[in-house]
Amino acid sequence: MNSSIKKALVLSMALVLCFVFYGCGKEEESPTKVADEFLKSIKNSDQDAIKKVYKGKAFDPFAALKLFEDDNESGSPDSYVSKDLLPKAKEFDYKISEEKIDGDKATVNVKITSYNIAGFMVNWITDYMQTASEQFADSIPDDSQMEQMLKESYENQKSTLKKDLKKDVKLNLVKDDGKWKVNTLKKMMSYLML
């Protein structure tokens, strides 16, 4: 082989290696992929994963419901919330449908299906109040009677808690140090809980 062909071959191999090592570097994650990671980290209450894809401070998406875990005496109203409702809040489903990028900003549309926890709690308390007013119209119940009635109302309403609440959510993302990060949260969490 003559030397000019050898030089051309060596040069082309060097170029190929450069493209392989430098051109195939880690691709930038798309807003859709970041939105997916964000939603998975919320479902798992994974603070570290949330920090990686959320522009704000890390947060516990279900902190409000977890307050009930502290007083989790069997049969107490708090035990119902920690035992039944907290796990249901994490069981939301989602489908990412559309991504739009405009420079350093992006939106990702998500369809969320979740349990209607707020509606359930309204029904539960309404049933409880109605039952209390009917049963104790002429007397004042003691604490044990009230707790028993609350438990019965809960059991009556438990079958109405279904995963049938559907919401369309638009997640806003921004580029932060060259990486896409979710930038909105308030509406997202209200959609999961209501």
Side-chain angles (χ1 to χ4, degrees), residues 73 75-77 80 128 135-136 140-152:
E73 224 176 273
S76 76
Y80 309 142
Y128 169 70
Q135 287 186 7
F136 298 103
I140 298 175
D142 63 29
D143 288 346
S144 65
Q145 290 172 309
M146 295 297 286
E147 280 193 28
Q148 181 61 32
M149 197 177 342
L150 192 60
K151 181 179 180 180
E152 288 171 6

Side-chain angles (χ1 to χ4, degrees), residues 39-58:
L39 293 164
K40 284 178 184 172
S41 64
I42 286 177
K43 285 183 82 156
N44 296 324
S45 294
D46 184 342
Q47 298 295 311
D48 293 330
I50 290 170
K51 284 179 195 176
K52 290 178 185 174
V53 293
Y54 178 57
K55 185 166 171 48
K57 294 179 181 176

Side-chain angles (χ1 to χ4, degrees), residues 1-12:
M1 221 184 247
N2 80 28
S3 68
S4 61
I5 294 176
K6 285 182 185 179
K7 285 180 186 178
L9 262 169
V10 169
L11 183 60
S12 12

Side-chain angles (χ1 to χ4, degrees), residues 2 23 26-27 32 42 48 51-52 59 64 70 79 88 90 112 114 119 128 137 140 155 176 184 189:
N2 80 28
K26 187 175 179 183
E27 283 186 35
T32 296
I42 286 177
D48 293 330
K51 284 179 195 176
K52 290 178 185 174
F59 65 96
D70 294 338
S79 71
K88 297 278 189 225
K90 295 178 181 182
I112 294 178
S114 64
Y128 169 70
I140 298 175
E155 292 301 325
D176 186 39
T184 19
M189 293 315 298

Side-chain angles (χ1 to χ4, degrees), residues 9-194:
L9 262 169
V10 169
L11 183 60
S12 12
M13 287 179 68
L15 283 172
V16 168
L17 288 174
C18 283
F19 284 119
V20 168
F21 288 120
Y22 297 107
C24 294
K26 187 175 179 183
E27 283 186 35
E28 176 184 292
E29 291 186 335
S30 70
T32 296
K33 182 160 175 49
V34 171
D36 185 50
E37 289 175 23
F38 177 69
L39 293 164
K40 284 178 184 172
S41 64
I42 286 177
K43 285 183 82 156
N44 296 324
S45 294
D46 184 342
Q47 298 295 311
D48 293 330
I50 290 170
K51 284 179 195 176
K52 290 178 185 174
V53 293
Y54 178 57
K55 185 166 171 48
K57 294 179 181 176
F59 65 96
D60 184 350
F62 305 107
L65 289 175
K66 287 182 178 179
L67 293 173
F68 294 97
E69 289 181 324
D70 294 338
D71 180 22
N72 170 339
E73 224 176 273
S74 181
S76 76
D78 293 349
S79 71
Y80 309 142
V81 173
S82 66
K83 181 181 75 165
D84 292 332
L85 299 183
L86 179 58
K88 297 278 189 225
K90 295 178 181 182
E91 291 178 24
F92 66 92
D93 296 321
Y94 65 92
K95 182 176 181 182
I96 296 174
S97 60
E98 184 181 2
E99 166 187 289
K100 289 183 184 175
I101 300 173
D102 184 14
D104 285 350
K105 294 181 181 180
T107 57
V108 175
N109 293 337
V110 182
K111 294 182 183 294
I112 294 178
T113 304
S114 64
Y115 286 92
N116 188 348
I117 293 171
F120 166 79
M121 291 185 82
V122 166
N123 292 341
W124 173 26
I125 298 304
T126 301
D127 183 66
Y128 169 70
M129 297 300 285
Q130 184 177 357
T131 303
S133 66
E134 290 169 0
Q135 287 186 7
F136 298 103
D138 299 326
S139 62
I140 298 175
D142 63 29
D143 288 346
S144 65
Q145 290 172 309
M146 295 297 286
E147 280 193 28
Q148 181 61 32
M149 197 177 342
L150 192 60
K151 181 179 180 180
E152 288 171 6
S153 292
Y154 180 82
E155 292 301 325
N156 289 341
Q157 293 300 315
K158 195 173 174 180
S159 65
T160 68
L161 183 60
K162 302 209 182 312
K163 190 193 270 187
D164 59 0
L165 184 64
K166 297 180 187 303
K167 300 265 185 171
D168 290 325
V169 179
K170 184 179 286 193
L171 288 177
N172 293 314
L173 292 92
V174 295
K175 276 210 174 171
D176 186 39
D177 291 330
K179 294 181 181 179
W180 288 109
K181 299 237 177 162
V182 174
N183 195 32
T184 19
L185 187 62
K186 291 179 187 173
K187 285 184 179 180
M188 177 68 203
M189 293 315 298
S190 69
Y191 290 135
L192 292 178
M193 302 303 289
L194 303 176

